[in-house]
mmCIF file of all heavy atoms in Angstrom:
data_model
loop_
_atom_site.group_PDB
_atom_site.id
_atom_site.type_symbol
_atom_site.label_atom_id
_atom_site.label_comp_id
_atom_site.label_asym_id
_atom_site.label_seq_id
_atom_site.Cartn_x
_atom_site.Cartn_y
_atom_site.Cartn_z
ATOM 1 N N GLU A 32 -80.826 124.329 -113.066
ATOM 2 C CA GLU A 32 -79.969 125.355 -113.805
ATOM 3 C C GLU A 32 -79.018 125.999 -112.803
ATOM 4 O O GLU A 32 -79.397 126.416 -111.634
ATOM 5 C CB GLU A 32 -80.875 126.450 -114.434
ATOM 6 C CG GLU A 32 -81.729 125.791 -115.589
ATOM 7 C CD GLU A 32 -82.374 126.828 -116.445
ATOM 8 O OE1 GLU A 32 -81.829 128.014 -116.388
ATOM 9 O OE2 GLU A 32 -83.244 126.465 -117.215
ATOM 10 N N GLY A 33 -77.784 126.293 -113.266
ATOM 11 C CA GLY A 33 -76.809 126.904 -112.419
ATOM 12 C C GLY A 33 -76.087 126.021 -111.538
ATOM 13 O O GLY A 33 -75.282 126.364 -110.708
ATOM 14 N N GLU A 34 -76.398 124.612 -111.640
ATOM 15 C CA GLU A 34 -75.750 123.635 -110.808
ATOM 16 C C GLU A 34 -74.601 123.071 -111.557
ATOM 17 O O GLU A 34 -74.458 123.152 -112.784
ATOM 18 C CB GLU A 34 -76.717 122.545 -110.515
ATOM 19 C CG GLU A 34 -77.932 123.077 -109.780
ATOM 20 C CD GLU A 34 -79.145 122.118 -109.705
ATOM 21 O OE1 GLU A 34 -79.069 121.028 -110.412
ATOM 22 O OE2 GLU A 34 -80.110 122.346 -109.058
ATOM 23 N N VAL A 187 -87.935 135.264 -113.687
ATOM 24 C CA VAL A 187 -86.747 135.502 -112.802
ATOM 25 C C VAL A 187 -86.908 134.619 -111.516
ATOM 26 O O VAL A 187 -87.514 135.163 -110.589
ATOM 27 C CB VAL A 187 -86.534 136.977 -112.536
ATOM 28 C CG1 VAL A 187 -85.198 137.186 -111.803
ATOM 29 C CG2 VAL A 187 -86.548 137.707 -113.847
ATOM 30 N N VAL A 188 -86.396 133.474 -111.528
ATOM 31 C CA VAL A 188 -86.686 132.544 -110.410
ATOM 32 C C VAL A 188 -85.955 132.995 -109.165
ATOM 33 O O VAL A 188 -84.766 133.157 -109.138
ATOM 34 C CB VAL A 188 -86.243 131.031 -110.699
ATOM 35 C CG1 VAL A 188 -86.473 130.191 -109.626
ATOM 36 C CG2 VAL A 188 -86.990 130.574 -111.933
ATOM 37 N N GLU A 190 -86.726 135.846 -107.533
ATOM 38 C CA GLU A 190 -86.923 137.294 -107.341
ATOM 39 C C GLU A 190 -88.381 137.639 -107.463
ATOM 40 O O GLU A 190 -89.238 136.855 -107.837
ATOM 41 C CB GLU A 190 -86.179 138.109 -108.437
ATOM 42 C CG GLU A 190 -84.773 138.530 -108.051
ATOM 43 C CD GLU A 190 -84.799 139.553 -106.916
ATOM 44 O OE1 GLU A 190 -85.832 139.936 -106.421
ATOM 45 O OE2 GLU A 190 -83.659 139.917 -106.501
ATOM 46 N N PRO A 223 -83.755 127.880 -105.040
ATOM 47 C CA PRO A 223 -82.554 128.496 -105.627
ATOM 48 C C PRO A 223 -82.965 129.984 -106.093
ATOM 49 O O PRO A 223 -84.057 130.319 -106.294
ATOM 50 C CB PRO A 223 -82.287 127.674 -106.945
ATOM 51 C CG PRO A 223 -83.656 127.063 -107.296
ATOM 52 C CD PRO A 223 -84.259 126.737 -105.954
ATOM 53 N N TYR A 224 -81.818 130.685 -106.242
ATOM 54 C CA TYR A 224 -81.917 132.059 -106.770
ATOM 55 C C TYR A 224 -81.128 131.987 -107.994
ATOM 56 O O TYR A 224 -79.898 131.773 -108.023
ATOM 57 C CB TYR A 224 -81.357 133.019 -105.744
ATOM 58 C CG TYR A 224 -81.289 134.479 -106.190
ATOM 59 C CD1 TYR A 224 -82.458 135.314 -106.044
ATOM 60 C CD2 TYR A 224 -80.221 135.075 -106.635
ATOM 61 C CE1 TYR A 224 -82.430 136.532 -106.437
ATOM 62 C CE2 TYR A 224 -80.156 136.390 -107.083
ATOM 63 C CZ TYR A 224 -81.255 137.171 -106.927
ATOM 64 O OH TYR A 224 -81.255 138.462 -107.334
ATOM 65 N N LEU A 225 -81.763 132.025 -109.203
ATOM 66 C CA LEU A 225 -81.006 131.591 -110.364
ATOM 67 C C LEU A 225 -80.287 132.752 -111.135
ATOM 68 O O LEU A 225 -79.607 132.534 -112.077
ATOM 69 C CB LEU A 225 -82.056 130.994 -111.438
ATOM 70 C CG LEU A 225 -82.660 129.687 -110.950
ATOM 71 C CD1 LEU A 225 -83.475 129.037 -112.185
ATOM 72 C CD2 LEU A 225 -81.652 128.715 -110.448
ATOM 73 N N GLN A 226 -80.373 133.979 -110.515
ATOM 74 C CA GLN A 226 -79.535 135.026 -111.041
ATOM 75 C C GLN A 226 -78.074 134.873 -110.370
ATOM 76 O O GLN A 226 -77.627 135.567 -109.537
ATOM 77 C CB GLN A 226 -80.098 136.356 -110.656
ATOM 78 C CG GLN A 226 -81.519 136.586 -111.076
ATOM 79 C CD GLN A 226 -81.673 136.323 -112.561
ATOM 80 O OE1 GLN A 226 -81.102 137.062 -113.444
ATOM 81 N NE2 GLN A 226 -82.583 135.337 -112.891
ATOM 82 N N ILE A 227 -77.304 133.851 -110.876
ATOM 83 C CA ILE A 227 -76.178 133.370 -110.136
ATOM 84 C C ILE A 227 -75.058 134.363 -110.184
ATOM 85 O O ILE A 227 -74.125 134.288 -109.354
ATOM 86 C CB ILE A 227 -75.721 132.033 -110.735
ATOM 87 C CG1 ILE A 227 -75.381 132.202 -112.290
ATOM 88 C CG2 ILE A 227 -76.757 130.952 -110.580
ATOM 89 C CD1 ILE A 227 -74.804 130.974 -112.921
ATOM 90 N N LYS A 228 -75.126 135.395 -111.067
ATOM 91 C CA LYS A 228 -73.988 136.458 -111.082
ATOM 92 C C LYS A 228 -74.323 137.598 -110.095
ATOM 93 O O LYS A 228 -73.485 138.510 -109.870
ATOM 94 C CB LYS A 228 -73.748 136.877 -112.446
ATOM 95 C CG LYS A 228 -73.190 135.770 -113.391
ATOM 96 C CD LYS A 228 -72.867 136.403 -114.812
ATOM 97 C CE LYS A 228 -72.313 135.274 -115.684
ATOM 98 N NZ LYS A 228 -72.000 135.792 -117.015
ATOM 99 N N ASP A 229 -75.544 137.591 -109.629
ATOM 100 C CA ASP A 229 -75.978 138.693 -108.736
ATOM 101 C C ASP A 229 -75.812 138.277 -107.306
ATOM 102 O O ASP A 229 -76.719 137.820 -106.622
ATOM 103 C CB ASP A 229 -77.486 138.984 -109.053
ATOM 104 C CG ASP A 229 -78.020 140.211 -108.182
ATOM 105 O OD1 ASP A 229 -77.154 140.805 -107.369
ATOM 106 O OD2 ASP A 229 -79.158 140.582 -108.333
ATOM 107 N N LEU A 230 -74.626 138.411 -106.746
ATOM 108 C CA LEU A 230 -74.276 137.954 -105.427
ATOM 109 C C LEU A 230 -74.979 138.744 -104.334
ATOM 110 O O LEU A 230 -75.411 138.195 -103.294
ATOM 111 C CB LEU A 230 -72.753 137.926 -105.206
ATOM 112 C CG LEU A 230 -71.959 137.064 -106.113
ATOM 113 C CD1 LEU A 230 -70.514 137.061 -105.731
ATOM 114 C CD2 LEU A 230 -72.461 135.649 -106.015
ATOM 115 N N ASP A 231 -75.081 140.133 -104.674
ATOM 116 C CA ASP A 231 -75.744 140.974 -103.640
ATOM 117 C C ASP A 231 -77.198 140.541 -103.536
ATOM 118 O O ASP A 231 -77.852 140.526 -102.512
ATOM 119 C CB ASP A 231 -75.622 142.356 -104.038
ATOM 120 C CG ASP A 231 -74.225 142.912 -103.824
ATOM 121 O OD1 ASP A 231 -73.411 142.242 -103.016
ATOM 122 O OD2 ASP A 231 -73.847 143.867 -104.503
ATOM 123 N N GLY A 232 -77.871 140.211 -104.763
ATOM 124 C CA GLY A 232 -79.201 139.839 -104.670
ATOM 125 C C GLY A 232 -79.448 138.537 -103.904
ATOM 126 O O GLY A 232 -80.392 138.374 -103.220
ATOM 127 N N TYR A 233 -78.522 137.623 -104.171
ATOM 128 C CA TYR A 233 -78.593 136.315 -103.488
ATOM 129 C C TYR A 233 -78.458 136.468 -102.008
ATOM 130 O O TYR A 233 -79.290 135.907 -101.274
ATOM 131 C CB TYR A 233 -77.512 135.322 -104.004
ATOM 132 C CG TYR A 233 -77.545 134.049 -103.322
ATOM 133 C CD1 TYR A 233 -78.481 133.054 -103.710
ATOM 134 C CD2 TYR A 233 -76.673 133.633 -102.279
ATOM 135 C CE1 TYR A 233 -78.546 131.836 -103.039
ATOM 136 C CE2 TYR A 233 -76.687 132.483 -101.666
ATOM 137 C CZ TYR A 233 -77.640 131.513 -102.028
ATOM 138 O OH TYR A 233 -77.620 130.352 -101.301
ATOM 139 N N ARG A 234 -77.530 137.279 -101.610
ATOM 140 C CA ARG A 234 -77.328 137.580 -100.125
ATOM 141 C C ARG A 234 -78.660 138.223 -99.601
ATOM 142 O O ARG A 234 -78.985 137.824 -98.347
ATOM 143 C CB ARG A 234 -76.175 138.474 -99.883
ATOM 144 C CG ARG A 234 -74.777 137.853 -100.216
ATOM 145 C CD ARG A 234 -73.624 138.717 -99.795
ATOM 146 N NE ARG A 234 -72.424 138.162 -100.087
ATOM 147 C CZ ARG A 234 -71.679 138.498 -101.227
ATOM 148 N NH1 ARG A 234 -72.172 139.437 -102.068
ATOM 149 N NH2 ARG A 234 -70.522 137.944 -101.407
ATOM 150 N N ARG A 235 -79.220 139.084 -100.270
ATOM 151 C CA ARG A 235 -80.452 139.759 -99.826
ATOM 152 C C ARG A 235 -81.589 138.685 -99.597
ATOM 153 O O ARG A 235 -82.199 138.702 -98.609
ATOM 154 C CB ARG A 235 -80.851 140.890 -100.799
ATOM 155 C CG ARG A 235 -82.243 141.450 -100.446
ATOM 156 C CD ARG A 235 -82.473 142.683 -101.441
ATOM 157 N NE ARG A 235 -82.189 142.335 -102.779
ATOM 158 C CZ ARG A 235 -82.918 141.625 -103.621
ATOM 159 N NH1 ARG A 235 -84.101 141.098 -103.147
ATOM 160 N NH2 ARG A 235 -82.593 141.413 -104.854
ATOM 161 N N TRP A 249 -80.852 126.952 -101.306
ATOM 162 C CA TRP A 249 -80.061 126.520 -102.424
ATOM 163 C C TRP A 249 -79.324 127.622 -102.998
ATOM 164 O O TRP A 249 -79.793 128.707 -102.964
ATOM 165 C CB TRP A 249 -80.908 125.812 -103.520
ATOM 166 C CG TRP A 249 -81.426 124.471 -103.194
ATOM 167 C CD1 TRP A 249 -81.283 123.799 -101.982
ATOM 168 C CD2 TRP A 249 -82.118 123.549 -104.011
ATOM 169 N NE1 TRP A 249 -81.840 122.507 -102.000
ATOM 170 C CE2 TRP A 249 -82.316 122.345 -103.302
ATOM 171 C CE3 TRP A 249 -82.552 123.659 -105.409
ATOM 172 C CZ2 TRP A 249 -83.019 121.280 -103.858
ATOM 173 C CZ3 TRP A 249 -83.201 122.512 -105.922
ATOM 174 C CH2 TRP A 249 -83.453 121.489 -105.131
#
Side-chain angles (χ1 to χ4, degrees):
E32 293 195 18
E34 298 163 356
V187 185
V188 176
E190 266 293 0
Y224 181 81
L225 295 190
Q226 306 305 302
I227 60 176
K228 295 182 179 180
D229 184 1
L230 298 182
D231 290 337
Y233 180 78
R234 291 188 184 97
R235 171 175 46 80
W249 284 10

